[in-house]
Amino acid sequence: MNVWAIDKDIPLKLLLLELVHRYGENTLALNNQEQHFQAIELCTVNEPDISAYIYTFGQNSGRYGIDLKYPISIHNIVGENENLTLDQIIEIISTHLFS
């Protein structure tokens, strides 16, 4: 994934760079259907039904929101994790996608 070639907000690119550094180039997949400049949807290559929707819109500067998606949509966690730091977002992604 060439993070700098993706047309996304700089804080999201910084998050992607950190994730690529921690987990490797070919571990995560980006949902290309997400067109919002300040949002991305990530999943692991092997587990596309579990994903994380990360966004910077509506957040304080340098902060993130994250929605957690599961195969059964009733289990999704939406709108409960907002104004989080980069470290907090990485911890949630690590638990959600890699545990």
Side-chain angles (χ1 to χ4, degrees), residues 7-88:
D7 186 26
K8 295 295 178 181
D9 198 13
I10 294 295
L12 292 175
K13 290 182 179 187
L14 295 175
L15 170 63
L16 290 171
L17 285 172
E18 182 60 31
L19 292 172
V20 167
H21 174 73
R22 287 180 187 225
Y23 298 107
E25 281 281 328
N26 300 313
T27 307
L28 293 167
L30 195 61
N31 179 344
N32 292 326
Q33 294 177 350
E34 178 50 55
Q35 299 298 316
H36 197 287
F37 177 71
Q38 293 178 291
I40 55 174
E41 186 170 349
L42 293 173
C43 64
T44 61
V45 173
N46 298 327
E47 197 70 53
D49 291 337
I50 298 174
S51 65
Y53 179 79
I54 303 118
Y55 51 94
T56 56
F57 59 83
Q59 309 303 303
N60 292 330
S61 179
R63 298 292 179 132
Y64 303 82
I66 185 169
D67 296 337
L68 306 176
K69 297 183 178 183
Y70 294 91
I72 301 171
S73 62
I74 195 165
H75 296 274
N76 291 351
I77 301 172
V78 178
E80 294 183 23
N81 297 299
E82 297 202 337
N83 282 314
L84 302 173
T85 65
L86 179 61
D87 288 339
Q88 290 171 311

